[in-house]
Amino acid sequence: MALAVASGVYILLFYQDIVMRAGAPNTPDLIFGIIMVLLILEATRRATGWVLVIIAGAFLLYNFLGPYIPGLLGHKGYSIGRVISQMYLTTEGIFGVPLGVSANYIFLFIFLTSMLERLGMGDFLLRLAMALMGRFTGGPAKTAVLASGFMGSLNGSAVANVVGTGTFTIPLMKRNGYKPHFAGAVEACASSGGQLMPPIMGAAAFIIAEFLSIPYIEVVVAAIIPAALYYLCVLFGVHFEACRLGLTGLPKSELPSARKVLKEGWYFLVPLGVLVFFLAVLQYTPIRSGFYAIISMFIVSFATRESRISWERFRDGAIMAARNTITVALACAAAGLVIGSINLTGAGLKISSVIVAASGGTLWLALLLTALVALIMGMGLPTTAAYIVAGTMAAPALIDMGVLPLAAHLFVFYFAIISAITPPVALAAYAAAGIAKDEPMKIGITACKIGLAAFIVPFLFAGQPALIGVGDGWHIAWSTFTALIGVMALAGGCIGFVVRKALWWERTLLICGALLSLHPVVITDTIGLGMIVVALASNIMTGKKPVGKTGSEQFGSVGATGTKTVVDFSAG
């Protein structure tokens, strides 16, 4: 701790001398720089594990090993003084855009969401989701999707979201009749997608805005339609699976009243409303908007005795915010080492050239290669770090090929997020496996099937940006409508059930029609919708809806211990 403080204070005390000798670091500069780099690597190892440390270490070594690397990726090599100066004494290394965004924006929002969670917002959102979705077919699974989407947007961590909401929703889904691996997959999928959900979207969305020098609200608006498509695909998936198993919703007597839940916890929504108002309507900066949202949170917390902020709650919320910030801040600092190395060696342009050359100038192939880079980088990395590393290397190639800058960065961002459910290293699936008591790989594969739209939609808005709100109103509305039909058909085709079990040719038509209708071009939309209509008509005309169990029967099932378990939400 003393060395870390000393390395930071050194720059503050001697910044004028550092500026005057820019490019010619002296011995103290190098000593404190080496200390800072080593401390960041060790702290990152403690906070996130070895993966990011290995990646950052490899890029640091790349600075020195350039002369020994043949081909395009080789370079002249740099001295330790030049490398440390780049990482420690410029704004293109450790103290670059990611860490600056972490300090300026991200901590404010993490503090806001941590305090709201400490005041009971997590329980409020869970009860609200149960009140809204519990009575429908497969209600517990739909509750998990809604609650995890709400919470994921706030906390920005797939694993934390799985652990936080999954301890309640996964057992609930299992008692409802879902298989353990499916219950775990639903929670993993819904929790990972939370970072796609406006208004907060985790930490990486702020970095996208900073990289592109655009208002944060533009990133939020662009993410609305893709996020809706993702969660609708998951909801349709759990609905068709519930229909296939003959499951119904819970009786009204076992559910909390939505009116009562809102009456008791309406004040939790005020800070989010204030945040959206200042961001979208008044178009204030994220810092100022976050500040007013925090002030409103403190004010409305006095609405009830139970929610009132005490010293203990404030202390616990502040500690939680600091701990949640550590992972993001260190990921940004370590990613700064990667960015610094890329800028110093010119590796970014070289990797972009490799992607363009490997794709042969074909956009869809370049998109596929970029998606693979983002998925591989995301295995074992926090979303923020995965996006920064992959976005720095791959997004410029897409932009050079004509993709809109915002679409290119969102493309990388989406695949960095869904790497949490992509085998073989699917962190969200591993977290869900511990609760669901099933195999992580099985959960990860099922989660990919449920959230298949997340793998397809980014390719669509990269080529046709109507799905991120770019273009005229009619084009955006038509593209959104056909995409909605497409994700419904995609879910039905993947599950193999709509009104009855789908025949093989019906599944083929549903999936192919979905892929065509998701692509926002009139001819593909027309053909795709026609295929979907044929498949649905056949399925509906010849099918019968299975008779499901009542909600009481579902929740009165006998478990492995022989104990009959009934969950009653009527008392709140």
Side-chain angles (χ1 to χ4, degrees):
M1 289 173 63
L3 288 172
V5 172
S7 299
V9 170
Y10 174 78
I11 294 178
L12 294 177
L13 294 179
F14 299 101
Y15 74 94
Q16 289 183 330
D17 294 337
I18 292 171
V19 170
M20 294 302 296
R21 61 172 180 268
N26 60 18
T27 300
D29 293 346
L30 296 180
I31 291 174
F32 282 108
I34 292 172
I35 290 172
M36 175 69 81
V37 170
L38 293 177
L39 287 177
I40 285 175
L41 292 175
E42 170 59 13
T44 303
R45 183 193 66 81
R46 298 186 185 191
T48 67
W50 278 101
V51 178
L52 184 53
V53 174
I54 292 172
I55 292 174
F59 272 92
L60 285 174
L61 288 175
Y62 177 64
N63 293 300
F64 305 109
L65 300 178
Y68 308 102
I69 299 176
L72 181 64
L73 295 179
H75 59 85
K76 65 178 184 179
Y78 296 91
S79 67
I80 188 170
R82 182 71 181 88
V83 172
I84 294 302
S85 175
Q86 172 83 2
M87 304 302 165
Y88 179 58
L89 299 178
T90 74
T91 55
E92 294 184 352
I94 295 170
F95 301 106
V97 170
L99 194 62
V101 172
S102 172
N104 289 330
Y105 304 146
I106 296 172
F107 177 76
L108 273 178
F109 288 89
I110 290 179
F111 179 78
L112 171 65
T113 56
S114 298
M115 290 300 300
L116 286 172
E117 190 172 342
R118 184 64 186 85
L119 295 177
M121 189 172 189
D123 180 65
F124 164 72
L125 292 176
L126 198 57
R127 295 181 63 225
L128 181 62
M130 179 61 72
L132 295 175
M133 290 291 183
R135 68 183 184 276
F136 296 111
T137 302
K142 293 176 181 176
T143 297
V145 174
L146 200 62
S148 298
F150 286 152
M151 289 301 298
S153 178
L154 297 179
N155 61 33
S157 171
V159 174
N161 202 7
V162 169
V163 174
T165 59
T167 50
F168 170 77
T169 58
I170 291 176
L172 199 61
M173 285 185 276
K174 289 170 64 177
R175 287 196 293 269
N176 187 224
Y178 288 102
K179 294 180 180 179
H181 73 275
F182 192 88
V186 169
E187 182 58 47
C189 205
S191 295
S192 300
Q195 294 175 81
L196 307 177
M197 286 285 288
I200 297 180
M201 299 174 60
F206 293 96
I207 299 175
I208 292 175
E210 197 71 16
F211 274 159
L212 298 177
S213 299
I214 60 175
Y216 173 71
I217 193 64
E218 287 189 24
V219 181
V220 172
V221 171
I224 291 175
I225 297 175
L229 294 176
Y230 177 86
Y231 274 97
L232 282 171
C233 186
V234 178
L235 282 171
F236 279 124
V238 300
H239 175 79
F240 291 139
E241 179 71 6
C243 292
R244 188 180 70 84
L245 296 175
L247 307 178
T248 60
L250 299 173
K252 190 175 180 180
S253 59
E254 295 183 13
L255 296 172
S257 165
R259 181 176 297 179
K260 183 180 179 182
V261 172
L262 287 172
K263 184 179 179 181
E264 292 175 350
W266 61 269
Y267 48 86
F268 287 119
L269 301 177
V270 172
L272 298 182
V274 169
L275 177 63
V276 172
F277 176 76
F278 280 101
L279 276 175
V281 180
L282 299 184
Q283 296 188 359
Y284 284 4
T285 63
I287 295 177
R288 194 171 181 183
S289 302
F291 171 76
Y292 286 128
I294 291 171
I295 295 300
S296 68
M297 175 199 65
F298 281 113
I299 294 172
V300 300
S301 71
F302 289 91
T304 65
R305 183 184 299 272
E306 292 77 16
S307 65
R308 191 172 301 165
I309 290 184
S310 61
W311 165 247
E312 289 76 15
R313 283 181 171 176
F314 178 80
R315 179 197 62 200
D316 294 344
I319 292 173
M320 183 189 304
R323 286 176 173 165
N324 292 340
T325 303
I326 286 173
T327 301
V328 176
L330 288 172
C332 290
L337 297 175
V338 176
I339 294 175
S341 301
I342 289 174
N343 291 335
L344 182 62
T345 60
L349 293 175
K350 296 175 182 178
I351 294 172
S352 295
S353 301
V354 169
I355 292 175
V356 173
S359 66
T362 305
L363 179 59
W364 71 266
L365 191 54
L367 290 170
L368 182 60
L369 293 173
T370 303
L372 290 175
V373 169
L375 287 174
I376 293 171
M377 287 297 177
M379 291 180 181
L381 285 184
T383 300
T384 305
Y387 158 70
I388 294 171
V389 175
T392 304
M393 294 189 297
L398 300 182
I399 296 171
D400 290 341
M401 297 183 73
V403 178
L404 290 179
L406 179 55
H409 282 267
L410 281 176
F411 182 90
V412 177
F413 178 45
Y414 273 49
F415 280 99
I417 288 173
I418 58 179
S419 65
I421 60 171
T422 307
V425 184
L427 295 182
Y430 275 88
I435 304 171
K437 310 298 182 187
D438 211 327
E439 299 175 11
M441 191 66 66
K442 194 174 182 181
I443 290 175
I445 293 172
T446 307
C448 289
K449 183 173 72 172
I450 298 171
L452 188 59
F455 294 88
I456 298 173
V457 171
F459 285 90
L460 304 180
F461 66 64
Q464 294 287 342
L467 291 178
I468 59 172
V470 177
D472 60 88
W474 164 250
H475 192 197
I476 293 171
W478 174 253
S479 299
T480 303
F481 170 73
T482 55
L484 289 175
I485 302 298
V487 297
M488 180 274 292
L490 190 64
C494 290
I495 298 298
F497 193 98
V498 182
V499 171
R500 61 160 173 79
K501 183 178 179 180
L503 300 175
W504 68 268
W505 64 268
E506 292 174 346
R507 294 185 70 173
T508 302
L509 283 179
L510 286 172
I511 294 174
C512 293
L515 296 177
L516 288 173
S517 63
L518 283 169
H519 188 55
V521 176
V522 174
I523 186 170
T524 57
D525 286 343
T526 304
I527 297 172
L529 290 176
M531 296 171 71
I532 292 170
V533 168
V534 171
L536 289 179
S538 171
N539 193 272
I540 292 171
M541 290 172 63
T542 60
K544 288 185 178 180
K545 214 169 185 179
V547 179
K549 305 173 187 176
T550 66
S552 298
E553 288 172 332
Q554 295 163 28
F555 279 77
S557 58
V558 179
T561 60
T563 305
K564 189 175 183 180
T565 305
V566 178
V567 181
D568 182 15
F569 291 93
S570 57

